[in-house]
Amino acid sequence: MNRHVGKRLVKYALGFKKNILIALLLLTVAVTAELSGPFIAKRMIDVHILGIEYPWYESDQGEDAVQYDGGWYKRSDHFENNEAKGEEARILQIGRDYYFIDEPIAFDGERSINENTLTIEKDGKQQSYEASEISNEELLAFYQPQIEPMIWLIVLYFGLLVFASFFEYGQGLLLQTSANRIIQKMRTDVYAQIQRLHINYFDNLPAGKVVARITNDTEAIRELYVTVLATFFTSIFYMTGIFVALFLLDVKLAFITLTIVPLLFVWIIIYRKYASKFNKVIRTRVSDINAMINESIQGMSIIRAFKRQQMTEQEFEELNDSHFTYQNKLLHLNSLMSHNLVNILRNISFVALIWYFGGASLTSGAVISLGVLYAFVDYLNRLFQPVTNMVNQLANLEQALVAADRVFELLDEEGEDVADGMFPRYEGNVSFDHVSFAYKEDEYVLKNLSFEAKKGQTIALVGHTGSGKSSIMNLLFRFYDNQKGAISIDGKNIQDIKKQELRQHMAIVLQDPFLFTGTIASNVSLDDPSISREKVEKALNDVGADQLLRSLPNGYDEAVIEKGSTLSSGQRQLISFARALAFDPAVLILDEATSNVDTETEMIIQNALDILKKGRTTFIIAHRLSTIREADQILVLHQGEIVERGDHDQLMQKKGRYFQMYQLQQGKKIEQAV
């Protein structure tokens, strides 16, 4: 799973590879500049401080020459190529004191002083020299030529730090900006995918869980790009630079220190093995919580009306407790493996360092210089900062990978691209030819339906709940496709027409119309540029909306909040009628459009319906049979089959199922149909 997810995350990042590569280049420069510090310190120690023990030679008075005991001496590395050298002399340190020897030494080793005799011992050999102690003033004179170079090195070091800070700022800005761009594109892709998904996807997944994919999960992925990957990139570059420096200092010790890498790798594998399990549950619980909150807000009036507050709180608490439990498990895992890991690796490294430099290696005949030792310790201390940073980001890394897996699962759902082309407006002659349809395999809700609707006709669909009325609407809009038979418009099978092109000339008015946040006018036009303001106002006036909306302070520009909750049922219904009229469909579907309004508003809506139906093929899903008396054809459905068909008068004469339903609604006694 993670390898697949990782490749796709990298693919997203490659869309902004130019900025990322520039950032990495800046990072390389910044790391190089910053890591030069220990090398500068090494030079200051080995050359300018401990370099006093280099060979000295008698010389003429001049630059870098030091006067001592009536003569002039210059350190060996300060002579020009062709400059003549006199007799060699040495300055050696014993304890805190320095001694001058006016001759070269045969070898270096363990030093001791007895009055004016300096003795050096090494491997059983011993050599003595006449020496004179150097006073503090004389010692300062010998160091005088090194002061200016040391000042320049200090200036260089601080200059490099400032230089590195600018590059670090640049790389950080580029990486963070690229990360935000990546996640911006991912969120756009996820939202676009939602528009492509088959409608039955939303039948099986609560809205809150879909929202969690777009918000919570993508936010976790954003943290991956913005923080985790930026930290890993920076840390890996930093560690690489440190290891390069360590190999330049001492190859053997660098190889010993390099054992940190496989240890770190193994530790990460162990951590992710357990963290992945916990994070999957945590992300699922977050989705469940979002879904429940969304459902509770939507159904708040029902919850209070039936006094289910306590039960709802209990259900929420169970989800919340489960989320808390697994968060605690992850917390314990992080506490155990993050801080402890760094301490263990640091201790191992310093034990190796002490072992390597143990015994006589820190004597004057040491295998490496004090400057190298200082630089090595400095680099080791620096090494654990990026290690700590990476380990601390492991939790976020695992959360992001789990979230990415959930997002990519959504993106991998089969969908259909939105068609950009325009489809010629069809006449609206609809035909169902032996159509059967099942939401679940072999559980047919429509069985062998056949009927025709000519252009301009009104077809009413009636029947008890579950008879298949809404399924016919779903098939017409191709929210679902029928398994048997054929549905055609103007003689063309609708499955041969792209869904978006088919729906260009269809409109629907639902029993509970849905309004979007915006204004009344924007809900009519849905911000379609082809629908002008004049067309919006004409549609509203034609359906009689001016009678119900004129009392609003801002008229047609009145703000509509979520789902139009501040408007009455009649106002919302008229707006949805105007919307359908403005889009001028060839086929119109009315899903019990007058069932939720009062009698006075119903009269206005009935007039609006008459206007809306003119010149269009109209399907009316009706429960209130009095509203369909003028329909050209009434189809009576029962358990997915058409059991009666005809106009109102014909069906009343049959005294069948339609007759019984009509009489029941009129409140009259009926006779059992024969």
Side-chain angles (χ1 to χ4, degrees), residues 275-300:
S276 178
K277 298 177 182 177
F278 299 153
N279 275 300
K280 283 181 181 178
V281 177
I282 289 169
R283 303 310 302 179
T284 302
R285 291 296 176 270
V286 169
S287 292
D288 293 340
I289 288 171
N290 277 348
M292 185 173 182
I293 292 173
N294 181 70
E295 186 179 69
S296 298
I297 292 173
Q298 297 290 336
M300 187 60 70

Side-chain angles (χ1 to χ4, degrees), residues 191-212:
Y191 191 78
Q193 171 69 357
I194 289 176
Q195 311 304 316
R196 297 176 63 253
L197 290 175
H198 199 276
I199 201 74
N200 63 1
Y201 179 84
F202 302 99
D203 294 340
N204 303 317
L205 194 67
K209 291 192 174 185
V210 179
V211 171

